[in-house]
Amino acid sequence: MIHIIPKPTDTPGDNSTGMVMAELKRMNVPFEVLNLASVDPFNLPVDGETIWACGIKQDGIQFELLKALELTNRVINSPEAIATCASKVTTTAMLINAGAPSPDTCFTNNKKVVADFLASHDGKAVYKPVYGFDGNGIYLFNSVDQITEAPPYYVQQYVKNDRDYRIFVIGNKAVGAIKRESDHLTHNIHQGGCGTAVEIPADMRAAAEAAARAIGIDYCGVDLLPLEDGGYTVLEVNGTPNWHCMTAPIPRLLAEYLVEQDKLGKC
């Protein structure tokens, strides 16, 4: 049976978990809701089942509980994949190692190294918190004196743009996409960006699917920037993505994927 861990940030007007559960009901697929906070890691409540974690609290405790559940169950997405996506450093390292496109990146605790990186990229770069989300804490800088945060420093090459793209990938297949536009550096919907559903051209599909394969994740939201000379570069991979503004039937596709994986686990 499929067991579902609801996303902690779900609201009546933005209920990702509920959308997928509604599709499972339409498909007459039985499922149960699992309260992750109540799980005893030393006496697991389920064994040999499929568990979908739509999202977890970033408190360390729920991540450990999810890892314990994975000992005897098929967890989607895996705790390892969620942890990878939570860290921009790990994500970028895996993308580069797999040959997936990614902006030049520097990670250090030394501002002199950041200054050298800045000088080699026309005096302009982007600071990002390692564990940030929804575009929070990201800003453009042209002097290390503008960085007031404590080390370590994760900074990336600035790629000139007026938009980005969020591609939803399930089972290494790009199934939906939106263009996000704003008048500032970050185009996240939570930062006021405006999302519009778009078709997925071949080069966008290739970049998004390569990123998902590099991370080794069941489903994800891949954020891409278009390059001036063509093609795309990967900004990040989200392991617990929303599908705001997408016209593709993401809840249905996710429900079908869960059913497929549950059947595979029983074979």
Side-chain angles (χ1 to χ4, degrees), residues 174-188:
V175 297
I178 60 171
K179 176 174 64 175
R180 303 185 300 191
E181 298 175 284
S182 71
D183 58 1
H184 48 77
L185 179 66
T186 58
H187 308 299
N188 304 64

Side-chain angles (χ1 to χ4, degrees), residues 165-166 176-180 194-200 243-248:
Y165 295 88
R166 161 65 62 89
I178 60 171
K179 176 174 64 175
R180 303 185 300 191
C194 179
T196 306
V198 296
E199 297 297 321
I200 310 174
W243 47 87
H244 297 124
C245 306
M246 290 190 184
T247 55

Side-chain angles (χ1 to χ4, degrees), residues 89-106:
V89 176
T90 307
T91 298
T92 301
M94 293 184 75
L95 290 172
I96 292 173
N97 184 64
S102 183
D104 288 344
T105 306
C106 171

